[in-house]
Amino acid sequence: MKCIDTTYFVDLIRRPSTIRELTKKLDNEGIHATTALNVYEALFGAYVLIDNTRNTI
């Protein structure tokens, strides 16, 4: 089992085309995990991006 790190989630949000092949490889390999901290960091980062977008309009 591989642990998916925050960097993967950041790339998924900001540059999905750069991790397309990695995502396909991970999908083919099966079960993966991450940590609660990685989920928090990714969701917090996504929230900040959305919030910043709202404040600039």
Side-chain angles (χ1 to χ4, degrees):
M1 179 176 357
K2 294 183 181 179
C3 183
I4 298 174
D5 194 12
T6 306
T7 305
Y8 176 84
F9 296 116
V10 169
D11 288 344
L12 184 64
I13 294 166
R14 292 188 175 177
R15 298 174 292 276
S17 62
T18 63
I19 60 166
R20 188 164 292 139
E21 291 302 316
L22 175 59
T23 301
K24 288 178 187 177
K25 180 181 176 189
L26 291 171
D27 283 346
N28 289 333
E29 291 178 1
I31 300 173
H32 305 291
T34 193
T35 67
L37 182 58
N38 289 339
V39 172
Y40 171 80
E41 289 175 339
L43 291 175
F44 182 80
Y47 175 79
V48 169
L49 286 173
I50 291 169
D51 193 48
N52 285 341
T53 301
R54 287 183 185 156
N55 288 335
T56 59
I57 295 176

